[in-house]
Structure formats: structure tokens, C-alpha cells
Amino acid sequence: MKLLIIGAGPGGYEAAFRAAQLGNDVVLVEKNLLGGTCLNIGCIPTKTMVKIADFYSEVQNAEEFGVKVDGYSLDTEKIYQRKQDVMVKLRDGIEYLISTYDNIKLLKGTASFVSENEVKVVLNNGGEENVTFDKCIIATGSKDIKPLEGCDLPKVLNSTTLLSLKEIPKSMIVIGTGVIGLEFATIYASFGTEVTVIGNNMFKTADIEIQKRLQSILKNPNLKFATKQHSKKIEQAGDMLKVTTQMVGKDTIKEYEAEYVLVALGRASNTDGLNTEAAKVETKDGGVLVDENLKTSNDNIYAIGDVIYKNTQLAHFATAQGFHVVEQLSGLEPKTDLSIVPAVLYTVPELAQVGKTEQELEKEGIEYDKAKSMYQANGKALAVGGTKGFIKILSTKDHKKILGCHIIGKDADLLIHYAVIAMANGLSVEDLSNMIYAHPTIAEVFKDAIESLEGKSTNSPMAK
């Protein structure tokens, strides 16, 4: 099979590797940088900055642990360079891996459909090349949107331009309470920037209990929240920027000022220049429409990742979808359950979740049991100064299945995979409870939540 993949983000390039492993001839097209949004302007650079912010906070609080540190400061040039070095190393790694496959051809250029089974690629170094295909995967990801009046003003940033900033602002307004907004808000608040986050609900896809407690757990003297309001416009106000908002359901108008404004109201599917009409691929609001097997209205063209209309915008989900399509097209039966998708919000501390929230279970009329365990009761968390947060586990009434897991706290990105493994393999509460957990570890917070479901946690007060 000759497979064309348009887009070399995590979904595209990993699908290319899997397809090549299965003996297919692959043409991989990328018009910008290998690695896509995740590697270059998303997951990787922001996580590099999260680590720097985390480290800086540890230095600031070192005296609590008996370590006196004097004369420390942030080196903005080194922060920027560290981020760049990580991205370049990973991009070079992808290019090297591609070079090890004889059956992957990389074209650096812009692809657009000319018919139902052919694209024209305008190469970045000049010239063009036409590529015909048996099957095609569209993996062109997402793009920034400009939803507000004033988004083009100087010092109004999106996630891409903020990552190129080589200074630490004195003040910043973050418009948006989703992943991008909250991650950058906590990073820059840790750096000392006075940050005001404006939005309606706090991370609306989270479990309701986490939504309610998020502000208190993310508490930082430099971080303020202005919730239950929508931003209307951004204006220049002397040397500052002014954001005008309206309270939800009211006529009340409020104004906020800061040196910089980050607009983080989400990203849109990117089908720019693809000429999907020529391939008879149907779209809606710029996103590609697919069926349950990720097939478009053209039987030979599939789509994965952020480019799909209303798809969950997560790099690892795009990769899983890519593997699913490639294995299916290669005659295999995909085994991965695409309904079990963990998500991590890299605030300080982290938030992670998988499966159903309480509000979803109640809306669907599903009976459930729940238990919660607090970090402050964990010895390792207390020793390392990571006592903020909790783990909540939702199960069926008979405890045969885990329905959801919601974590906010230290190492949430690792702990969530206990629940993912259980859900993907049909493990029960009893199965998880019968494991031996190493002591002292943060993992014991998960253990306590599981044992609380069975009424046998030794770190919880005796039930009255």
C-alpha cells in the first residue's frame, strides 16, 4: 500500500513509523517543523518551562528544608535557550528516525489535493511534486484563533508568540481557563509575574470537585482569578493593555490592565490550503468530518488528531488514532480502546484525569461509588513538600470496574496511569487493592483512595 500522510506532528510521524514497520510505502509531508504543534509550540516547550518554574519555586522555598540560597535570579536568555535546545534535539531525533526507514519518503513542503487520490506538494526549497496514493491520512493539526477585538495589538500574545518571549513580564492577563491558559498562568506566576486569569468556569472539562477547588490548590501570591466573566475586547491604554469583560448573565462591565495579554481561548482545526473539496472530503467549521473508523467522506482518506471536527486535542490521542488507522489499513485488528484517554494539565501542581467525571455519570444516570484520598496524609508528599491536592476514584457500585480517576497534586501525570491500566484491562477495585505498593511513595495516595472504596484504608479516620 502507498500511504500518504499530510502533517508530521505526533499523530503523523508516529503513524508513518508504524505504517513503515508494517511494510507500507509511506510519503510524509510537512510544511513547517517536524514534530508539529506539540514539539515546537505546545507540549514540549511548555513542559520545559514548567520544570524551570518548578525548580525556581523549590529554590525560593529551600529554606523550609534547611537550605539557604542567596543571590538567585532568573536568566531569561538561558530559559529561552534551554527550551530551544530541547526542541532542536527532539526534531533532530525525528529526522534521524525517518532516515532509518527505506520505505519512508519525507517531503518538506505544502500539500494540497488536486483530485480524490492525488496531491500537489509545493516544496519549501523550490519546485513541486505530485503524489498519488492508495490511502491518505490527514494529520495537519490545529492553529491559533483570534476571537477578540484587539488581538493584533503589540504585546497581545498567543501560545506561539509567548514561547518566543525573552523577558519575564511584570504583569500579564491570561484570557482563558483551559489547558493553555492555566499552564502559562502558573508558570509565569511562579516566575514572579502578576497574573490575572479571566474566564467563565475553571477548566470546564474537569470533575466538578476539582473545578471548585482548583483556585485554592493553585494558590500563589502572584496569581488571581476573575471567573464568571467573558472578555469582550482588548485596547491599548498608554503603556498598558486594557481588557474589558462582562459578567456572565449580567450587564456588569469590568476592566483589567496589564503589560501583556495572553489570549488562550482554544485552537481551531487546520485545513488551510488543503483544498479538501478537490478530494471530496467533507468539513465543518474547518474541521474534517470522520466516521467511527476515522474515515472521511472519501473512502481512501482518513483524518487523525486536532484536524478532526471537535476531536479531543491531545498529542497522544492523535498518535493512538494514527496507529488505529494504520493497523486497520494493514489488515490488523487494532486493540487500543480509543475511549480511554488520559489527560494532564501541567499546572503547579499538576492535574490529571481519565474516564468519566461525577457530573457525566449523574447526567447519564449511571450509579457509582467514589472515594478520595488527600496528599496531606501521605508520608512521601509531606517529606518533599507536596501536600496540596487529592485523588478521587469513581467505580461501579459493585466495584468491578473503574469508571474514572481525577487527580490534582504532585506526580499526577504518573499516577493517572494506574487508573488507565486498570480501565484498559478490566481490573477491579479488589485487583488494585491486592497490589503491594512501595513505601514511602506518592503512589500510596492512589492506594488509599482504592482502599477507601472497600472501607479498609488505614490512612482515613474510622467511618462513623
Side-chain angles (χ1 to χ4, degrees):
M1 176 178 67
K2 185 174 182 180
L3 176 66
L4 169 67
I5 301 176
I6 306 173
Y13 76 76
E14 295 211 40
F17 294 153
R18 186 69 182 120
Q21 290 167 359
L22 293 171
N24 301 290
D25 291 320
V26 181
V27 176
L28 178 63
V29 181
E30 174 55 56
K31 66 179 179 180
N32 292 316
L33 298 170
L34 293 174
T37 295
C38 177
L39 195 158
N40 298 289
I41 55 172
C43 325
I44 301 302
T46 54
K47 278 23 149 206
T48 305
M49 292 185 72
V50 165
K51 175 58 183 175
I52 294 167
D54 213 15
F55 190 74
Y56 187 59
S57 296
E58 287 183 5
V59 173
Q60 287 178 308
N61 299 314
E63 202 162 331
E64 291 181 24
F65 296 85
V67 179
K68 292 187 176 181
V69 181
D70 297 316
Y72 64 89
S73 62
L74 290 168
D75 185 332
T76 54
E77 188 60 42
K78 278 197 172 181
I79 291 173
Y80 178 80
Q81 195 56 51
R82 166 74 180 169
K83 174 176 63 66
Q84 294 300 110
D85 290 346
V86 170
M87 292 189 299
V88 169
K89 187 171 184 178
L90 288 170
R91 280 200 302 267
D92 288 348
I94 295 169
E95 190 138 18
Y96 166 72
L97 288 173
I98 291 172
S99 73
T100 65
Y101 288 90
D102 293 334
N103 52 342
I104 297 180
K105 180 180 180 180
L106 174 63
L107 295 178
K108 295 183 177 180
T110 303
S112 60
F113 289 101
V114 294
S115 72
E116 295 178 49
N117 69 332
E118 185 179 4
V119 298
K120 177 177 71 175
V121 181
V122 178
L123 302 172
N124 294 344
N125 60 1
E128 60 183 53
E129 185 170 332
N130 278 40
V131 179
T132 57
F133 56 83
D134 298 318
K135 301 291 181 182
C136 172
I137 298 175
I138 301 173
T140 47
S142 59
K143 61 182 179 180
D144 281 309
I145 56 176
K146 296 181 178 180
L148 286 177
E149 178 187 339
C151 279
D152 294 322
L153 288 170
K155 294 192 175 181
V156 176
L157 308 170
N158 56 36
S159 57
T160 304
T161 52
L162 180 55
L163 285 167
S164 299
L165 197 64
K166 293 186 180 181
E167 63 175 292
I168 305 298
K170 292 180 181 178
S171 60
M172 180 189 297
I173 292 169
V174 175
I175 301 175
T177 54
V179 173
I180 296 171
L182 290 175
E183 285 187 355
F184 277 118
T186 56
I187 288 169
Y188 276 91
S190 297
F191 287 162
T193 302
E194 292 183 7
V195 180
T196 301
V197 180
I198 299 174
N200 186 9
N201 297 320
M202 291 292 295
F203 198 49
K204 63 182 180 181
T205 59
D207 185 84
I208 193 67
E209 191 169 357
I210 285 181
Q211 287 185 41
K212 289 177 178 177
R213 298 191 59 186
L214 197 54
Q215 291 186 41
S216 62
I217 292 176
L218 299 182
K219 189 175 180 180
N220 181 303
N222 300 316
L223 185 58
K224 297 177 182 178
F225 294 94
T227 56
K228 301 301 178 186
Q229 47 196 297
H230 292 305
S231 298
K232 307 301 287 184
K233 62 180 177 179
I234 308 167
E235 300 171 282
Q236 196 73 47
D239 294 335
M240 305 289 276
L241 290 167
K242 180 174 71 175
V243 176
T244 302
T245 73
Q246 181 176 346
M247 299 297 293
V248 175
K250 301 178 181 179
D251 295 330
T252 307
I253 300 297
K254 294 195 173 186
E255 295 178 343
Y256 302 87
E257 289 191 0
E259 183 184 5
Y260 282 87
V261 173
L262 168 65
V263 179
L265 291 171
R267 295 174 64 84
S269 299
N270 182 23
T271 52
D272 293 352
L274 274 178
N275 193 24
T276 51
E277 297 87 351
K280 295 184 179 177
V281 170
E282 293 180 6
T283 62
K284 183 175 182 180
D285 297 333
V288 177
L289 297 172
V290 297
D291 65 12
E292 66 278 5
N293 291 312
L294 305 169
K295 185 166 64 176
T296 71
S297 50
N298 180 327
D299 285 346
N300 294 319
I301 300 178
Y302 293 73
I304 61 172
D306 293 7
V307 74
I308 296 174
Y309 177 67
K310 289 192 173 180
N311 197 46
T312 300
Q313 294 185 339
L314 293 168
H316 50 276
F317 191 40
T319 298
Q321 289 180 322
F323 278 29
H324 181 93
V325 170
V326 164
E327 290 176 357
Q328 192 176 51
L329 292 177
S330 300
L332 302 178
E333 185 179 344
K335 301 294 185 183
T336 302
D337 187 340
L338 295 179
S339 70
I340 303 171
V341 186
V344 181
L345 176 64
Y346 286 90
T347 46
V348 183
E350 300 158 359
L351 186 159
Q353 59 189 33
V354 67
K356 300 287 187 180
T357 62
E358 276 203 72
Q359 57 266 38
E360 287 173 333
L361 291 173
E362 289 170 0
K363 185 177 180 180
E364 294 171 22
I366 298 173
E367 291 190 344
Y368 64 95
D369 199 1
K370 68 176 179 178
K372 188 168 65 175
S373 177
M374 309 302 291
Y375 272 69
Q376 62 190 15
N378 179 269
K380 177 69 179 293
L382 190 61
V384 301
T387 56
K388 287 184 177 181
F390 62 89
I391 292 178
K392 180 163 72 171
I393 298 174
L394 308 171
S395 77
T396 52
K397 277 287 189 180
D398 61 6
H399 295 174
K400 296 292 185 183
K401 290 176 62 178
I402 303 299
L403 298 173
C405 180
H406 306 275
I407 309 172
I408 183 164
K410 187 172 178 59
D411 296 338
D413 61 335
L414 301 177
L415 296 179
I416 197 63
H417 290 91
Y418 283 92
V420 175
I421 291 169
M423 293 171 71
N425 293 279
L427 301 182
S428 68
V429 170
E430 184 180 16
D431 293 329
L432 293 170
S433 178
N434 288 339
M435 291 167 45
I436 297 175
Y437 295 71
H439 175 77
T441 61
I442 300 290
E444 290 174 290
V445 186
F446 186 92
K447 169 180 176 282
D448 287 338
I450 283 292
E451 291 185 341
S452 291
L453 279 167
E454 296 192 307
K456 64 179 187 181
S457 170
T458 55
N459 278 327
S460 301
M462 183 67 183
K464 299 296 183 183

